[in-house]
Each structure stands twice: as C-alpha cells, then as structure tokens.
Amino acid sequence: MSNNLQVEAGGMLTVALAEVEGQLNEVIKEVRRLRTKVRFLEEENKRLRTVIVSAEQGDGGHSQLLQLYNEGFHICPPHFARVRGGEGCLFCESFLEKKGLKPNG
Ligand SMILES: [Zn+2]
C-alpha cells in the first residue's frame, strides 16, 4: 500500500518535473528570440545613427537618406526612421523633391 503511494508520488513528481522542463524550454526559446531581436535592433540603430550623422554633415547624407527611403523607411521629419512599408508618403516625397532626389519607382 505505502509502496503504491510512493510509486504514485514518484510518478507525479516525474510529471511535474517534465512540466517544469517544458516551461524552462519555452523561457529559453523566448530568451533566444529576444536576443536575436535585440541584435537586429542594435544593428538597425547603428545604421540609423550613421545616416543621421552623415545627413548632419551635409551633402554626403543625401544618398544614404535616399537609400533609407528605398529600403522602406520614412526620411521625412515627422516620421523619421519609422517603417514606411510599401506605402508612399507625401512628406517623404516633398522632402526628396526639395533635396533634388528621386525615389525608386
Ligand atoms: Zn514620410
């Protein structure tokens, strides 16, 4: 009888441990996902800094602004560096026009 109880308790413990292990695996997966995301954001941040610095330094930034725009980001002051997606933006277009630049397409 007590032997059976021990077996049962052991079985429950095994199940509980398996659950904890499963949850840990989920946490590890999430940490990996976040680490990848952080790395991506750090690289993007570095790239945007470069663009901003060269834009501040004068003419050299124009081609990089245009590149940024063509990569799908806003370069207009109100939405600068936000994802533009496939949509056109009147602010961006008039900004490019003022700089004498032409977007792709
Ligand atoms: Zn824009």
Side-chain angles (χ1 to χ4, degrees):
M1 184 71 180
S2 79
N3 219 10
N4 272 349
L5 277 178
Q6 276 179 350
V7 169
E8 201 173 304
M12 281 165 69
L13 192 61
T14 305
V15 170
L17 277 175
E19 264 175 37
V20 169
E21 204 179 346
Q23 284 167 356
L24 269 179
N25 280 336
E26 287 303 307
V27 170
I28 289 167
K29 258 191 248 170
E30 181 70 3
V31 167
R32 280 200 194 123
R33 195 181 66 78
L34 288 173
R35 201 178 282 164
T36 306
K37 195 171 181 182
V38 165
R39 201 172 301 150
F40 170 78
L41 289 174
E42 278 175 350
E43 275 167 24
E44 191 177 63
N45 195 26
K46 206 191 290 175
R47 202 161 55 88
L48 292 174
R49 272 176 203 279
T50 310
V51 171
I52 291 168
V53 167
S54 49
E56 282 169 351
Q57 283 168 351
D59 242 32
H62 285 172
S63 60
Q64 270 170 302
L65 276 177
L66 187 59
Q67 191 190 337
L68 193 65
Y69 178 83
N70 288 333
E71 281 177 20
F73 292 96
H74 284 278
I75 52 151
C76 59
H79 309 296
F80 187 77
R82 289 204 199 135
V83 175
R84 186 169 51 83
E87 290 167 38
C89 170
L90 287 177
F91 294 113
C92 283
E93 281 162 26
S94 78
F95 186 79
L96 286 171
E97 214 166 284
K98 266 187 240 162
K99 303 280 179 193
L101 300 167
K102 278 219 183 308
N104 281 354

